Amino acid sequence: MTVVQDGPYRFRIEPSGAMRVPGVVFASRELLSTADNAIGQVANVAALPGIVDASYAMPDVHLGYGFAIGGVAATDPRDGGVVSPGGVGFDISCGVRLMAADIDAADLAPVLEDVMDGLDPAVPRGMGRGAVWRPSGREELTGILTGGSRYAVQRGHGDERDLLRCEDGGAVADADPGQVGERAVERGAGQVGSLGSGNHFLEVQRVAEVYDADVAAAFGLSGDQICVMIHCGSRGLGHQICTDHVRAMEARMPRYGIEVPDRQLACAPVDSPEGRAYLGAMAAAANYARANRQLLAQAARRVFRRAAGARLDLVYDVSHNLAKMEDHDVDGGRRRLCVHRKGATRALPPGHPDLPPDLREAGQPVLIPGTMGTASYVLAGVPDGRAFYSTCHGAGRTRSRHQAARGVDGRTLRARMEADGIAVRASSWRGLAEEAPDAYKDVSAVVEAGEGAGLCRKIARLEPVGVVKG
DNA sequence: ATGTAC
């Protein structure tokens, strides 16, 4: 495999073997060197039937299930294009929601501990347990799977204005709850409105630096302002859907004459019963994840109103694990493509018709959750964005959970963060240790590379004031 | 990421 640098922050993997298109990695040399075991996966994805243009990787690329986390690939259904659950990931529609408070850091300081003590019991989290909303029966769960944040708002959990600031208006079309298996439904029923574990979190943050005041203002952000960032996904429901549909596709691949370099890249034509079934179930999980973030946002709003007298307005809600049917210009023609983004964020450019009117001039907000205890970023899509208007999604691991937990004790880590002025409410010491910042890449380097590669631009940097950890 | 392995 030959990897050559062919631009600033841009490397090219020449097609070889089963590759139908080249690979393109947007990264600095340093970031690339921390992810060399994922480059083979970028090359493998280039072998998917119907892939268009290139197999792309974002600056935070790292090893994933079959398809690298940080990977972007678009396929053309009219050219035998496939959809691969591995190209979306187990945590379907995992994503980030950012809310801006009407108070600044100085206003929050005297009541920070009250806010954190309010959030602690109000944000269900950790493996398995707890949920904000227990659906009363199949009808309510179906509403969530079909309507996402929109259904949650209809049921009184939020306001109409929230939906304007959600990707897809808060609900993905074409969800098919009938393709969500019984086991996925059972797992999902008890977890509506819960954070989960791992790198999922709810953080109280401060706007530490603004790089573009006009665009920040359009997003509703200004210096020193307090924000709340929520990072979570579709919990056991999305996980079970991925498992079920990978299995179903694996069994059918020989019949479609599809061969892939890695079994974990199981896939089916977009226009096939298996492809449509997965996309319908995936959309249902995407709506579940959005309702999940909507409900946790409401929980945070109640606490902020009570403990700080503050209001939280939605900045944006965007997923970083999803496949979407989108129209793109390729080789001078307009084509409808199935765009897989796994650990990659859609970043629509200024003027894009899918943006709400009040964000159209600024471009789409892109929300980058940093590693626990470090910075997070707000970015914006740029004109002439690359990789089907995509950019990075976060820091990306460099050390395994096991290695991270061996390096530091959770209590020590908490004490270190509290000494740095960050309030911490953890759900387990082991879980906290697994998320030690030194087990991750430097999110600032990732963002610099994304900007340098022409994928996005920086709008603001946020720093944590309080961490509620899954 | 995940009732951290059917």
Side-chain angles (χ1 to χ4, degrees), chain A residues 16 22 94 97 109 182 218 300 342-343 355 380 389 430 444 466:
Chain A
S16 65
C94 179
R97 170 174 294 223
E182 204 49 48
K342 178 186 189 179
L355 289 170
Y389 296 123
R430 164 85 194 185
S444 301

Side-chain angles (χ1 to χ4, degrees), chain A residues 111-437:
Chain A
V111 293
L112 174 63
E113 288 301 318
D114 297 333
V115 168
M116 296 305 290
D117 287 339
L119 290 171
D120 194 8
V123 179
R125 59 198 192 276
M127 286 295 291
R129 52 207 156 84
V132 171
W133 183 14
R134 178 89 206 183
S136 65
R138 195 56 173 261
E139 202 174 308
E140 281 192 349
L141 190 65
T142 301
I144 290 165
L145 297 178
T146 328
S149 293
R150 183 165 291 282
Y151 180 72
V153 168
Q154 280 165 8
R155 296 296 305 271
H157 305 283
D159 52 60
E160 281 292 325
R161 194 258 177 200
D162 291 344
L163 302 175
L164 293 172
R165 290 299 185 103
C166 290
E167 182 184 13
D168 308 309
V172 183
D174 303 324
D176 185 354
Q179 298 298 342
V180 179
E182 204 49 48
R183 208 165 175 195
V185 166
E186 280 168 23
R187 290 178 70 172
Q191 300 181 320
V192 186
S194 66
L195 214 48
S197 61
N199 66 353
H200 290 162
F201 63 72
L202 183 150
E203 272 188 6
V204 180
Q205 304 171 333
R206 175 180 72 89
V207 179
E209 192 168 1
V210 172
Y211 306 101
D212 182 325
D214 291 341
V215 172
F219 291 176
L221 297 170
S222 59
D224 234 27
Q225 189 175 10
I226 289 297
C227 296
V228 172
M229 180 177 277
I230 298 171
H231 177 209
C232 65
S234 52
R235 306 290 274 105
L237 179 124
H239 192 278
Q240 192 64 49
I241 287 171
C242 184
T243 302
D244 293 346
H245 288 262
V246 162
R247 200 166 295 161
M249 286 183 181
E250 259 182 344
R252 293 289 179 172
M253 283 210 298
R255 189 167 305 183
Y256 291 117
I258 296 174
E259 285 184 43
V260 289
D262 180 346
R263 282 176 59 108
Q264 295 184 346
L265 284 175
C267 57
V270 171
D271 286 327
S272 70
E274 294 78 15
R276 281 189 290 273
Y278 171 69
L279 285 168
M282 181 209 71
N287 287 330
Y288 181 98
R290 285 133 198 255
N292 194 14
R293 291 193 284 273
Q294 182 71 32
L295 290 162
L296 291 170
Q298 287 303 99
R301 279 171 166 163
R302 284 191 289 273
V303 172
F304 267 76
R305 193 182 310 124
R306 193 178 66 228
R311 196 182 74 230
L312 298 173
D313 290 330
L314 188 54
V315 173
Y316 206 64
D317 182 309
V318 66
S319 164
H320 47 232
N321 280 5
L322 205 62
K324 300 181 94 159
M325 300 305 300
E326 299 176 355
D327 295 318
H328 289 277
D329 291 322
V330 182
D331 302 329
R334 196 86 175 146
R335 289 158 82 177
R336 189 150 188 82
L337 305 175
C338 180
V339 183
H340 301 69
R341 294 187 184 88
K342 178 186 189 179
T345 314
R346 187 188 73 167
L348 296 179
H352 196 282
D354 289 352
L355 289 170
D358 63 338
L359 293 179
R360 198 156 293 160
E361 206 181 322
Q364 185 206 300
V366 174
L367 310 172
I368 306 297
T371 307
M372 179 178 65
T374 69
S376 294
Y377 282 86
V378 178
L379 314 175
V382 290
D384 306 315
R386 290 132 218 255
F388 309 102
Y389 296 123
S390 308
T391 188
C392 53
H393 88 302
R397 265 190 185 279
T398 52
R399 300 164 64 207
S400 70
R401 295 185 178 288
H402 187 74
Q403 283 176 319
R406 214 166 39 188
V408 65
D409 170 71
R411 292 163 202 274
T412 309
L413 191 56
R414 181 194 148 129
R416 207 182 291 164
M417 285 196 286
E418 295 264 356
D420 286 341
I422 303 168
V424 179
R425 299 293 183 278
S427 69
S428 88
W429 296 122
R430 164 85 194 185
L432 199 69
E434 287 178 351
E435 296 302 316

